Each structure stands twice: as structure tokens, then as C-alpha cells.
Amino acid sequence: MDINQLEIDDLQDIGKYMFSIANGNHLLPYSEVEYRDFLATSPNVIIDLLIIYFVSSNWGYDDPRMFENYDEQWLAMQIDPTFTSVLDFSLPDFQYSNLRPYQQVVIDFTQALIVEAEHFSLLLQTGTPIERIYAVLACNMDIDVQENFVKNKDHAIGRALEMYRCIFVKDYNLAQAFETWELVIY
């Protein structure tokens, strides 16, 4: 492996966040209503959820808003008409352009995955497959720290889509086997 991977916290965060969404345990403190059916029928909502999550986590510990769980409360409002929040979800911060470059790659990949996945609901039945897919994405990103961009965005997205196909597409033939470092789930 000759790439500059993300820092370990960011590597962990990508797969673990998607695992928690697919496992159905993302909203426990806010709503008893199951949200996976909503995401399965409206998968583009995951893009909004990820943007809210990433932006709010980028605020950092010095910003008290970071601890408000904007993403979970926003999702609770989407699925539970009785849930209300005092948080402002229309902040100008919540834009794709405000994401870090690797976070933009996660969004771009998620859009590609939504288009490719014939039955997105399969990705939300359990956390393990989606965590594996996003781990391949995260492990394959080659980060240029000095210039602040992902040097191999298309390759990373392509490898993650290959993992999706390996798991969900019957008789898919992988052109290049995955190397051990691509499959690490942190």
C-alpha cells in the first residue's frame, strides 16, 4: 500500500456511522419510530443526513453545537410527526461545500451507491455489509494533506462499488482481488 490514508478517527467514523444507520439503532434517544423503511424508500435523504452529521462533527469541541446530535434529531423529525427540536436545521453551514474533501467523497460515493443499488433496502437490513462497503471506500482514499484533497476519488469510489457488487450482485466477477489493507474495518 502506497497511499496516505485518513487519520484513524476519520477511518473509523465512516464505516461505524453507516453501521449504526443500517443496524437501526441510530435514533434511540429521540424516537421509538423505526426509520429504516423511510430511508429505504427515500434513500436520497441519507445524503442530507450525512451532510448534517459531517458538518456538525466538524464544528469541534469548542463549539457547543457539536454535542446536540443534529443528525439524529433531524432524522427523528423526518419520521416522527410528534418529535420537535429546538435545533436550527437551516443553518448555512449545512452545505456540501462546507465538508472536508474526504467527506465530499463519502457523499459522492453515497449518491453513486443509491443509483447503483437496485434495492437500497437490502443495505439497511443489517450493519455489516454497508460497514464493509464504506470501509473499502475509506481505506482506499489517498489524502493529499498539504493541498487538502483526495487524490484518487474515482478509484476509491470504484473499489467501494466493487465491494457492493461482490456482496449484492449475483455472479459478479471481481476484476482485481481486494488486498488485505482495503478490507480493514477499524
Side-chain angles (χ1 to χ4, degrees), residues 4-72:
N4 184 27
Q5 287 186 313
L6 290 166
E7 293 181 16
I8 189 72
D9 289 344
D10 296 326
L11 278 169
Q12 289 175 335
D13 188 49
I14 293 170
K16 298 298 180 198
Y17 187 76
M18 295 310 292
F19 179 87
S20 78
I21 289 172
N23 241 14
N25 58 358
H26 196 59
L27 281 178
L28 295 178
Y30 299 105
S31 176
E32 295 293 324
V33 178
E34 172 63 61
Y35 62 86
R36 287 182 293 179
D37 289 341
F38 171 69
L39 294 180
T41 58
S42 307
N44 284 321
V45 171
I46 294 172
I47 302 297
D48 297 325
L49 182 65
L50 284 168
I51 289 173
I52 290 169
Y53 172 71
F54 283 140
V55 167
S56 61
S57 65
N58 289 347
W59 286 331
Y61 291 107
D62 293 339
D63 191 324
R65 297 177 300 173
M66 179 189 181
F67 302 100
E68 296 292 343
N69 294 327
Y70 272 76
D71 59 321
E72 292 182 12

Side-chain angles (χ1 to χ4, degrees), residues 98-152:
N98 291 331
L99 300 177
R100 295 179 179 153
Y102 82 86
Q103 295 167 336
Q104 290 177 346
V105 172
V106 173
I107 298 297
D108 296 346
F109 168 70
T110 303
Q111 289 174 326
L113 183 61
I114 289 168
V115 169
E116 176 141 344
E118 288 186 31
H119 302 288
F120 197 82
S121 60
L122 294 175
L123 290 166
L124 300 172
Q125 291 179 354
T126 181
T128 302
I130 202 165
E131 182 181 26
R132 288 176 59 201
I133 293 165
Y134 277 83
V136 168
L137 175 71
C139 288
N140 271 282
M141 283 191 227
D142 189 0
I143 308 299
D144 185 321
V145 179
Q146 293 172 342
E147 297 294 325
N148 195 29
F149 75 99
V150 177
K151 296 191 284 188
N152 65 343

Side-chain angles (χ1 to χ4, degrees), residues 141-177:
M141 283 191 227
D142 189 0
I143 308 299
D144 185 321
V145 179
Q146 293 172 342
E147 297 294 325
N148 195 29
F149 75 99
V150 177
K151 296 191 284 188
N152 65 343
K153 171 186 167 182
D154 293 337
H155 173 76
I157 289 173
R159 290 301 275 171
L161 286 172
E162 286 180 300
M163 177 54 77
Y164 162 76
R165 294 176 195 128
C166 284
I167 296 171
F168 290 104
V169 176
K170 184 178 179 182
D171 299 325
Y172 177 71
N173 292 319
L174 184 63
Q176 178 184 351

Side-chain angles (χ1 to χ4, degrees), residues 29-31 72-78 80-85 89:
Y30 299 105
S31 176
E72 292 182 12
Q73 290 190 44
W74 179 83
L75 184 55
M77 287 181 61
Q78 307 307 303
D80 186 349
T82 64
F83 181 81
T84 58
S85 176
F89 301 104

